[in-house]
């Protein structure tokens, strides 16, 4: 819900003109059959130490100077771990469950790609490039997708949630330690590589999970999507990629314990089963589950008053609580397990891995973001060629007939599935022109869309729905939420053109029968309409 920043190493690059798009795609195509697919998973704990505990006497989720605390490390001062996603000053008072980095490696004998996720709110492109510098050569990775689950109950990794709006909230050394632990998870996954076959599963569903779109038009990219990785011999599960669209914030803004929230419960439900305080209600698939957050702009979430039905007793949980987070995570897991039991998981024919990537110069129109970067509150590289820009990227990975789109922010679902409007009160006299919807151009047997992948640009809003000034759209009486945490009104169009290009390339790759084994493209594409 906020912009990314990072305090680690920055990776300088040559910059093109404002809003220019540097296109780099590496495509594996046709030719001789690839070697046997191998896949491995790895997991490490990334929970930061919370040395000092405190008591929130007035219930405002912000530590006041007169509220009691315990000096856990005996240094005579309060050492806060600021939690991300809501108001400033929400210091953690403990740990409920471990935050994780979960990694998967896919290797077809010619290409090796990694996917690593972390239970944090967001990671900037600078963080991603620094992590790639540390691990790609060491682990022989041709590409690494880095994802934040957008967890609102973890530490501040973007700098926006310190003690005040003008204080960076990233704990000293946090990014360095996080990169090391994510690297450890990837190394574990490489060490665990083994022959594998994959299955694709899509289970349409919405209501039981308590998912709502809090901004009109009411559009949700529904359903549970999963890649299930099995051993060829006995069919046991090595791991699962679980893709679902919801803000990871079921516990909302008064929780003071670090937790993986709904993503953690969903992972445990799929792998270990639906366990209620030591009583196993339903068995899981086994293996390791990796959560990938889907299209959540708009904002797709579960409000404090939204009921969530628990799959064990069928009763709704309403008030934010760990029971509600468990009900939602287990509900998502149960839907996936139901799909597997019903035989809906379909085998994916073995094929070579494809890697498609565009590097972007994204124009920044958000003055608070620019100011925050200049003041050192946000650690984000800025370019100044013809206006203010920041570096980012889009990517599309293909695992045979499974497509994975890496979206560097929070995508409004109507861009993916259709339903863009031009409401009265919008700031621009612009027709809804982001056509066709992205999913109609994704040709995989299963198409995953991963938000907050390789960057955290904030909300990706159609220009025709942009509303930073009154009058507010759809007759609203107060400021519309979304624009304050977006790079600007041109971001959606820039990404739209880039992704359509990637989809065309991947479609051409899948249909080519006598292409060279590998093609490389480099060039500059004008991102203007």
């Amino acid at each position: 819900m906020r912009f990314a920043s990072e305090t680690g190493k920055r990776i300088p690059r040559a910059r093109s003109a404002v809003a220019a798009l540097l296109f780099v795609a590496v495509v594996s195509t046709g030719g001789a059959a690839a070697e046997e697919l191998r896949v491995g998973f790895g997991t490490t704990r990334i929970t930061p130490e919370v040395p000092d505990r405190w008591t929130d006497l007035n219930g405002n989720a912000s530590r006041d100077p007169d509220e009691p605390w315990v000096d856990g490390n005996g240094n005579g001062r309060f050492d806060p771990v600021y939690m991300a996603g809501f108001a400033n000053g929400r210091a953690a008072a403990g740990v409920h469950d471990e935050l994780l980095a979960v990694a998967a490696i896919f290797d077809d004998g010619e290409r090796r790609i990694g996917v690593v996720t972390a239970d944090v709110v967001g990671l900037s492109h600078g963080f991603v490039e620094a992590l790639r510098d540390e691990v790609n050569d060491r682990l022989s990775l041709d590409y690494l997708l880095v994802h934040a689950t957008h967890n609102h109950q973890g530490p501040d990794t973007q700098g926006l949630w310190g003690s005040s709006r003008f204080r960076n909230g990233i704990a000293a050394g946090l990014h360095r330690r996080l990169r090391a632990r994510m690297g450890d998870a990837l190394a574990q996954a490489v060490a665990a590589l083994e022959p594998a076959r994959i299955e694709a599963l899509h289970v349409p569903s919405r209501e039981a999970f308590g998912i709502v779109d809090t901004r009109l038009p009411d559009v949700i990219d529904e359903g549970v999507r999963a890649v299930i990785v099995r051993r060829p011999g006995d069919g046991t599960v090595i791991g699962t990629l679980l893709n679902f669209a919801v803000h990871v914030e079921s516990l909302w803004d008064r929780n003071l314990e670090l937790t993986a929230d709904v993503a953690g419960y969903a992972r445990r439900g799929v792998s270990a089963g639906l366990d209620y305080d030591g009583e196993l209600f339903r068995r899981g698939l086994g293996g390791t589950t990796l959560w990938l957050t889907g299209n959540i702009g708009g904002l797709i979430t579960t409000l404090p008053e939204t009921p969530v039905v628990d799959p064990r007793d069928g009763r709704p949980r309403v008030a934010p609580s760990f029971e509600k987070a468990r009900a939602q995570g287990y509900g998502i897991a149960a839907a996936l397990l139901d799909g597997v039991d019903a035989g809906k998981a379909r085998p994916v024919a073995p094929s070579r891995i494809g890697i498609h990537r565009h590097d972007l110069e994204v124009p920044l129109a958000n003055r608070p973001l620019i100011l925050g970067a200049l003041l050192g509150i946000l650690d984000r590289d800025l370019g100044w060629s013809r206006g203010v820009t920041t570096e980012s990227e889009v990517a599309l990975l293909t695992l045979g007939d499974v497509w994975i789109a890496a979206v560097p922010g929070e995508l409004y679902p109507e861009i993916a599935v259709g339903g863009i409007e031009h409401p009265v009160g919008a700031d621009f006299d612009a027709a809804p022109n982001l056509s066709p919807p992205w999913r109609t151009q994704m040709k995989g047997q299963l198409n995953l869309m991963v938000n907050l992948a390789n960057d955290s640009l904030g909300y990706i809003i159609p220009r025709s729905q942009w509303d930073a000034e009154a009058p507010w759209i759809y007759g609203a009486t107060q400021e519309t939420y979304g624009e304050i945490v977006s790079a600007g009104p041109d971001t959606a169009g820039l990404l739209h053109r880039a992704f359509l290009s990637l989809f065309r390339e991947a479609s051409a790759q899948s249909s080519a029968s006598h292409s060279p084994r590998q093609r490389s493209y480099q060039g500059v594409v004008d991102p203007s309409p």
Side-chain angles (χ1 to χ4, degrees):
M1 293 172 63
R2 294 289 193 271
F3 285 104
S5 67
E6 69 102 24
T7 57
K9 178 181 177 183
R10 292 179 175 178
I11 310 299
R13 293 183 178 182
R15 303 184 189 279
S16 57
V18 173
L21 173 63
L22 174 62
F23 165 51
V24 179
V26 179
V27 183
S28 301
T29 62
E35 294 182 13
E36 185 177 41
L37 178 68
R38 296 187 301 149
V39 182
F41 285 78
T43 302
T44 57
R45 297 177 181 179
I46 61 170
T47 315
E49 181 185 0
V50 182
D52 300 334
R53 310 300 169 100
W54 66 284
T55 304
D56 186 17
L57 295 179
N58 60 13
N60 69 350
S62 180
R63 183 181 173 272
D64 300 315
D66 59 345
E67 289 180 315
W69 61 285
V70 177
D71 187 6
N73 57 10
N75 66 357
R77 65 174 184 269
F78 183 72
D79 300 301
V81 175
Y82 288 113
M83 299 175 68
F86 291 103
N88 288 94
R90 187 167 61 118
V95 176
H96 181 271
D97 54 90
E98 297 288 353
L99 309 182
L100 301 180
V102 184
I105 299 290
F106 296 83
D107 189 321
D108 67 359
E110 295 185 1
R111 288 280 179 270
R112 175 179 290 182
I113 61 173
V115 179
V116 63
T117 75
D119 287 325
V120 296
V121 70
L123 298 167
S124 75
H125 193 250
F127 179 99
V128 171
E129 291 286 67
L131 176 60
R132 288 168 171 167
D133 271 4
E134 293 173 8
V135 302
N136 279 15
D137 288 344
R138 175 165 57 90
L139 301 179
S140 300
L141 298 180
D142 294 292
Y143 187 80
L144 175 61
L145 188 159
V146 181
H147 170 61
T149 65
H150 205 41
N151 179 24
H152 286 48
Q153 311 299 337
D156 184 1
T157 52
Q158 297 184 251
L160 291 161
W161 294 280
S163 58
S164 74
R165 293 182 180 180
F166 300 101
R167 299 295 297 272
N168 186 299
I170 303 173
L174 176 65
H175 278 173
R176 175 181 50 78
R177 293 189 297 270
L178 180 57
R179 284 196 297 270
R181 300 305 287 157
M182 295 174 80
D184 290 344
L186 287 161
Q188 285 184 24
V190 169
L193 282 169
E194 60 179 305
R197 60 181 175 86
I198 62 176
E199 297 174 346
L201 174 67
H202 178 208
V203 181
S205 85
R206 168 180 178 179
E207 299 300 336
F209 306 139
I211 309 302
V212 297
D213 187 352
T214 61
R215 173 169 165 166
L216 293 173
D218 184 2
V219 180
I220 294 179
D221 188 8
E222 302 176 10
V224 177
R225 295 174 173 86
V227 176
I228 302 169
V229 182
R230 297 184 182 272
R231 295 178 176 88
D234 59 13
T236 55
V237 171
I238 301 170
T240 301
L241 305 185
L242 169 59
N243 186 209
F244 186 78
V246 67
H247 267 69
V248 180
E249 58 182 12
S250 291
L251 285 154
W252 216 247
D253 62 349
R254 292 296 184 264
N255 172 57
L256 297 175
E257 293 184 284
L258 297 177
T259 172
D261 204 305
V262 58
Y265 284 112
R267 288 191 303 243
R268 291 193 291 275
V270 171
S271 292
L274 311 190
D275 182 284
Y276 289 83
D277 303 319
E279 178 184 346
L280 186 62
F281 173 71
R282 181 172 184 177
R283 293 187 180 277
L285 298 179
T288 300
T289 299
L290 185 154
W291 168 282
L292 297 167
T293 301
N295 296 322
I296 57 172
L299 137 114
I300 307 302
T301 191
T302 302
L303 295 170
E305 65 272 17
T306 307
V308 175
V309 176
D310 189 284
R312 178 175 64 167
D313 58 25
R315 298 201 307 266
R317 306 297 194 272
V318 181
S321 66
F322 286 100
E323 277 196 354
K324 182 176 182 178
R326 181 176 63 186
Q328 188 170 52
Y330 279 7
I332 296 164
L336 186 153
L337 297 174
D338 287 344
V340 173
D341 290 347
K344 295 181 179 179
R346 303 299 185 188
V348 176
S351 183
R352 196 169 277 121
I353 291 168
I355 305 168
H356 310 260
R357 167 182 174 174
H358 285 181
D359 287 344
L360 306 176
E361 290 285 348
V362 179
L364 293 182
N366 189 309
R367 292 180 180 178
L369 169 65
I370 297 169
L371 180 61
L374 291 174
L375 293 177
I377 300 168
L378 305 180
D379 189 9
R380 174 171 285 278
D381 290 337
L382 301 178
W384 305 94
S385 54
R386 288 187 300 173
V388 186
T389 62
T390 190
E391 297 177 355
S392 191
E393 72 177 76
V394 297
L396 176 68
L397 305 178
T398 57
L399 306 174
D401 212 18
V402 172
W403 288 24
I404 305 174
V407 182
E410 299 162 69
L411 187 74
Y412 273 42
E414 49 265 40
I415 298 174
V417 301
I420 298 174
E421 298 182 355
H422 183 216
V424 174
D427 292 354
F428 298 102
D429 185 15
N433 61 354
L434 297 183
S435 182
W438 295 5
R439 281 205 178 276
T440 67
Q441 304 305 297
M442 297 182 73
K443 306 303 182 182
Q445 176 182 336
L446 179 72
N447 300 302
L448 308 185
M449 299 189 73
V450 184
N451 283 198
L452 297 118
N454 302 320
D455 204 352
S456 295
L457 287 176
Y459 287 121
I460 302 165
I461 306 172
R463 185 179 176 87
S464 65
Q465 295 173 193
W466 187 267
D467 188 30
E469 299 177 358
W472 311 117
I473 56 177
Y474 299 107
T477 58
Q478 58 185 3
E479 182 178 359
T480 304
Y481 181 74
E483 286 74 7
I484 190 64
V485 283
S486 173
D490 297 324
T491 304
L494 177 65
L495 268 61
H496 179 72
R497 292 182 287 276
F499 268 111
L500 291 187
S501 177
L502 295 183
F503 298 153
R504 287 192 295 269
E505 293 155 16
S507 295
Q509 171 190 346
S510 64
S511 62
S513 57
H514 301 289
S515 304
R517 202 182 88 178
Q518 177 180 323
R519 298 191 312 233
S520 296
Y521 302 90
Q522 290 186 338
V524 176
V525 178
D526 182 1
S528 60

